[in-house]
Amino acid sequence: MHEQPLSRRSIWRYLVATRPYAADVTLLTVADRLATRGRKAEPAIAAHVGLAVEMLRHAFADREAAPQPPLIAGDQLAAALGIEPGPELGALIAQLAEDRFAGEISTPEEAIRRARELRAG
């Protein structure tokens, strides 16, 4: 609620955290917010509903879109980085998916470069 407009990263993290129930969770948050009472209830409700509309748009788009294959397969990424499959590789793949949604990478070469940056710290 406090970050407006939402960054692509925030949207991605919400969708991932609530997948496959992002729309359902969003509607429940609206129901909860509608129970708000007090002096600032109306502006808080209006802000929350506006945010919920945006999240629902993304949730339904995510639900209807064909899954995008990763920019680079896990085994190819592991070979490029010289690492073994495991939790580190999984975390890198997840971060690369977020970076792609955020519009920061769009090619396999950019994915490898970003993974190297992430590993370097």
Side-chain angles (χ1 to χ4, degrees), residues 8 67-68 93 100-101:
R8 296 272 302 164
Q68 288 189 337
I93 291 169
R100 183 180 191 181
F101 186 84

Side-chain angles (χ1 to χ4, degrees), residues 81-105:
L81 299 175
I83 62 174
E84 294 294 319
E88 179 186 13
L89 181 61
L92 286 170
I93 291 169
Q95 183 62 52
L96 293 175
E98 180 179 318
D99 292 345
R100 183 180 191 181
F101 186 84
E104 293 182 2
I105 61 172

Side-chain angles (χ1 to χ4, degrees), residues 28-72:
L28 285 172
T29 69
V30 170
D32 184 58
R33 179 58 74 176
L34 289 172
T36 301
R37 299 290 175 253
R39 284 187 339 207
K40 298 181 181 180
E42 292 304 316
I45 291 169
H48 193 96
V49 168
L51 180 64
V53 167
E54 181 180 356
M55 292 311 301
L56 287 170
R57 184 173 50 82
H58 288 287
F60 284 114
D62 185 55
R63 199 183 265 184
E64 294 169 2
Q68 288 189 337
L71 291 171
I72 185 168

